[in-house]
Amino acid sequence: MGDQWQYQVRLYFTDEFSEIARRNPSDPALGALPGVLEKHGATMKCQFDAFADYVAEAERHGVEGYPLYAWTKATIEDPVKKAKHSKSFALHVKGREVYPKEEADALEADLQPLVDGQSITRLSRHDTNPANNPQPPERYRKTQG
């Protein structure tokens, strides 16, 4: 059953290093990280930036077609959530937001030694199983249809 799910690995940075990673993910200050990402064909996307991009796209094309618009907009406008999501980076592999378990395993194994608490504070893995993913609060789902 587990083979049906796709996975995403995320990194969490300290404040200082999250700004470096957002500005220049190849910055030498990030140590071995750029080399590990290159080895796996991976790129980083700051979660806050991804949310802001979603909101901007929805506003350009009409929010009706974007079911998570209200929830996402509220998230990026909340200073506490902005601070939290600005430190979280989703890793995309070969242009994909989610990928097979084997690719996630290999990426995670190479990244684990880089979690030092000084620049990278933690690593997490997420899957596409809906049971494991929080849903927007009811007040946002009601407005979507």
Side-chain angles (χ1 to χ4, degrees), residues 85-138:
H85 293 297
S86 292
K87 296 183 221 176
S88 173
F89 288 71
L91 302 183
H92 298 183
V93 174
K94 300 172 188 158
R96 295 168 292 157
E97 291 185 31
V98 293
Y99 26 89
K101 181 182 185 308
E102 298 75 29
E103 290 181 47
D105 287 346
L107 180 59
E108 187 174 18
D110 284 350
L111 290 170
Q112 194 61 53
L114 305 182
V115 179
D116 59 6
Q118 304 302 308
S119 56
I120 300 172
T121 58
R122 72 183 180 102
L123 169 76
S124 67
R125 178 194 297 232
H126 302 267
D127 62 44
T128 56
N129 181 346
N132 295 334
N133 292 291
Q135 300 300 308
E138 186 65 31

Side-chain angles (χ1 to χ4, degrees), residues 54-55 63 66-73 136 141 144:
Y54 179 87
V55 168
V63 299
Y66 293 79
L68 297 176
Y69 171 77
W71 177 82
T72 307
K73 185 160 178 74
R141 290 195 307 250
Q144 303 309 318

Side-chain angles (χ1 to χ4, degrees), residues 28-37 114:
L30 296 172
L33 179 60
V36 171
L37 296 177
L114 305 182

Side-chain angles (χ1 to χ4, degrees), residues 23-88:
R23 281 194 314 270
N24 180 8
S26 299
D27 193 304
L30 296 172
L33 179 60
V36 171
L37 296 177
E38 184 177 346
K39 174 184 173 184
H40 292 274
T43 57
M44 296 188 296
K45 179 70 173 183
C46 173
Q47 291 295 97
F48 177 82
D49 295 339
F51 290 166
D53 290 348
Y54 179 87
V55 168
E57 181 179 318
E59 290 173 348
R60 275 193 310 275
H61 300 290
V63 299
E64 310 77 37
Y66 293 79
L68 297 176
Y69 171 77
W71 177 82
T72 307
K73 185 160 178 74
T75 297
I76 66 171
E77 290 176 346
D78 180 319
V80 172
K81 291 180 181 177
K82 177 181 180 180
K84 173 187 170 188
H85 293 297
S86 292
K87 296 183 221 176
S88 173

